[in-house]
Amino acid sequence: MDQICIIGGRPLEGTVQVGGAKNAALPILAACLLGGGDCEIDHVPQVRDVSTMVKLLQLLGVIVQGQCGKYTLNAETVQSVVAPYELVKTMRASILSLGPLLARLGEAKVSLPGGCAIGTRPVNLHLRGLEMMGAEIQVEHGYIHAKAARLQGARIDLDFPTVTGTENLIMAACLAEGTTTLHNVAREPEIGDLCAFLTKRGAKIHGVGTDTITIEGVRALHGARHWVMPDRVETGTYLMAGAITGGNLMVRGCITDHIGSVLKKLQETGVDLTEESEGVRIRRTGSLRSADIKTLPYPGFPTDLQAQMMALMSIAEGTSVLTETIFEGRFLHVPELHRMGASIEVDGPHAVIKGVATLTGAPVMASDLRASAGLVLAGLAAEGETVISRVYHLDRGYEKLEEKLGALGANIKRMRETA
Ligand code: UD1
């Protein structure tokens, strides 16, 4: 297993290019299942979750060609309807194959994702929506077994704006008979990107970006080309890396409209942010100030940037309160930050962070994808050496992280874990 070793204390400087959004690429790749014809997908991040999705699609019978962020997929000959436990357990987003398989082939057998480090993460809303569209669903032997001769359009009100739930139902509705109206849907920009791709394939979708989406079902979708939107979580992570190290960074190729809530909170911490033609520049010369943050569905502050923001707040002057409202277990980075000298108290969904003058490097353990990013940021700012183990979590979602940070002046390297 790999470890990442960081010697902290260097301000980051230079320009970093943002890659394609993992959370847009995954549903877009899954959406290739919805019909024949070549789908050319460009700007796909080279991260492990993408390789896992490609492996799953190949297993289902999709022909996948290409590499280095550019793939051509053809799902003409898809026959298998089974997404096995071995793949689903390594990536929950495999659930995104459920809607497309059911709509296209009339059947899907997808392993039920178990709980994960950050919460129980049920998929009841995905299943209830599909049932309302006429699917018969049974959960047995750890698998969701769904069947429907042809899904029927329906009116579905989601109890919570689930992101992948919204995506699954949109994809299923594209091939359903009649019109589906989805209320209280998630409004994350990645859903907009998925809908843009589906529309290019011939889907009829209205209301994208609002909380009600209407889909008129069509018989079949055709091939299309698509360039995946930039990753807003990667964008936010690099902005925070600039902020925590007192650096001067240009984050190039991002869409600032997608990170409004993040820029607002960063501004409260006292950093300089300027929008330039190629991206956003962040600069910090003075000390960081505390800020109160609450994670919320988009356009609120993203839960996927909570751990990184907590690292930042741990060296800000004053006391910050960070409230996590999306995932009940998403504070696993707190004990690791304690090991680096942070002062954080957790009370239910709230973390009260009293800023300390400096963090000190320590051996720490990554627990999930974004928590690991928080530890990397803490390590960049800490005095001395931080060694982060279990970095396979980071590899799921961050493209060339050490390379990109190294090019900005960070002292960071990947090593094999010693016994
Ligand atoms: C997606 C993102 C993930 C991000 C999360 C929240 C992808 C591949 N992953 O995950 O990076 O952290 O959105 O922005 O895009 N819930 C239910 N029942 C359901 C579905 C969800 O109760 O059927 C609950 C979850 O337990 C959680 C909340 O709803 O508390 C939000 O989850 P959801 O939006 O579904 O997250 P994901 O789509 O899994």
Side-chain angles (χ1 to χ4, degrees):
M1 259 194 284
D2 288 352
Q3 294 179 324
I4 282 184
C5 172
I6 303 170
I7 314 273
R10 291 193 183 177
L12 300 189
E13 291 194 359
T15 298
V16 61
Q17 178 74 35
V18 172
K22 167 182 90 74
N23 285 356
L26 295 175
I28 287 168
L29 291 170
C32 293
L33 286 166
L34 283 165
D38 280 352
C39 293
E40 288 177 36
I41 318 292
D42 200 351
H43 202 228
V44 180
Q46 295 177 64
V47 294
R48 212 184 67 219
D49 274 6
V50 163
S51 331
T52 308
M53 182 58 87
V54 165
K55 223 182 271 173
L56 172 60
L57 295 176
Q58 285 173 322
L59 202 70
L60 295 169
V62 179
I63 313 271
V64 185
Q65 288 171 315
Q67 53 189 343
C68 298
K70 200 168 178 178
Y71 294 97
T72 301
L73 299 95
N74 191 307
E76 198 77 54
T77 54
V78 164
Q79 276 174 345
S80 169
V81 295
V82 184
Y85 178 61
E86 289 64 38
L87 285 178
V88 178
K89 75 176 181 200
T90 62
M91 185 187 66
R92 301 180 55 82
S94 310
I95 190 74
L96 287 165
S97 60
L98 177 64
L101 283 175
L102 181 62
R104 170 99 185 278
L105 300 175
E107 186 175 2
K109 212 172 164 192
V110 177
S111 171
L112 191 64
C116 82
I118 63 171
T120 48
R121 300 185 80 173
V123 290
N124 58 315
L125 302 175
H126 303 230
L127 304 190
R128 208 175 68 199
L130 292 172
E131 275 173 344
M132 290 176 83
M133 295 171 77
E136 276 181 32
I137 300 185
Q138 286 184 326
V139 177
E140 47 191 14
H141 306 298
Y143 277 77
I144 301 160
H145 194 177
K147 283 187 182 173
R150 186 170 180 202
L151 292 169
Q152 303 295 311
R155 180 199 154 106
I156 300 166
D157 287 85
L158 292 173
D159 290 345
F160 186 87
T162 154
V163 175
T164 48
T166 299
E167 292 165 347
N168 241 335
L169 296 176
I170 291 173
M171 291 190 281
C174 284
L175 298 184
E177 187 170 19
T179 302
T180 300
T181 314
L182 303 172
H183 294 271
N184 194 29
V185 293
R187 291 185 285 157
E188 269 66 3
E190 292 77 13
I191 295 172
D193 208 31
L194 167 67
C195 290
F197 172 60
L198 290 168
T199 304
K200 288 179 195 165
R201 298 198 71 187
K204 296 193 173 150
I205 308 175
H206 314 279
V208 175
T210 72
D211 62 2
T212 301
I213 289 186
T214 305
I215 306 112
E216 293 169 56
V218 296
R219 270 277 167 201
L221 296 187
H222 49 72
R225 277 192 183 164
H226 193 73
W227 191 87
V228 175
M229 63 174 263
D231 197 309
R232 65 194 166 97
V233 179
E234 190 190 20
T235 302
T237 303
Y238 283 110
L239 287 174
M240 290 174 198
I244 202 167
T245 60
N248 181 351
L249 273 194
M250 162 55 66
V251 183
R252 189 166 63 195
C254 54
I255 298 179
T256 44
D257 277 358
H258 291 170
I259 49 164
S261 59
V262 177
L263 296 179
K264 186 169 163 277
K265 280 297 155 189
L266 280 173
Q267 221 130 29
E268 277 181 42
T269 69
V271 299
D272 286 337
L273 287 166
T274 35
E275 277 187 46
E276 297 176 13
S277 56
E278 52 174 344
V280 182
R281 175 171 299 281
I282 189 156
R283 211 176 334 210
R284 174 166 76 85
T285 44
S287 37
L288 284 163
R289 289 197 298 265
S290 59
D292 292 338
I293 297 130
K294 191 185 212 177
T295 63
L296 287 168
Y298 187 84
F301 191 92
T303 174
D304 284 352
L305 284 169
Q306 182 255 103
Q308 300 88 317
M309 196 68 187
M310 189 183 287
L312 197 63
M313 292 300 86
S314 67
I315 57 159
E317 272 175 12
T319 301
S320 308
V321 179
L322 208 158
T323 305
E324 170 61 56
T325 75
I326 309 292
F327 292 114
E328 70 272 20
R330 210 166 206 185
F331 281 141
L332 291 170
H333 40 284
V334 171
E336 304 303 309
L337 290 173
H338 282 161
R339 306 196 71 249
M340 301 179 71
S343 168
I344 305 168
E345 267 182 45
V346 173
D347 182 9
H350 310 289
V352 179
I353 307 143
K354 288 190 188 136
V356 295
T358 42
L359 295 173
T360 50
V364 288
M365 204 179 285
S367 53
D368 72 72
L369 168 56
R370 306 304 175 184
S372 337
L375 297 178
V376 169
L377 296 201
L380 291 172
E383 265 175 20
E385 185 185 69
T386 298
V387 178
I388 305 170
S389 49
R390 300 198 179 163
V391 293
Y392 52 85
H393 289 294
L394 268 179
D395 297 335
R396 282 188 41 219
Y398 283 94
E399 190 174 42
K400 301 182 181 150
L401 184 81
E402 313 93 85
E403 216 175 285
K404 287 186 177 184
L405 286 171
L408 297 170
N411 186 340
I412 180 169
K413 60 175 189 267
R414 183 180 287 255
M415 306 176 310
R416 280 252 150 235
E417 199 163 330
T418 45

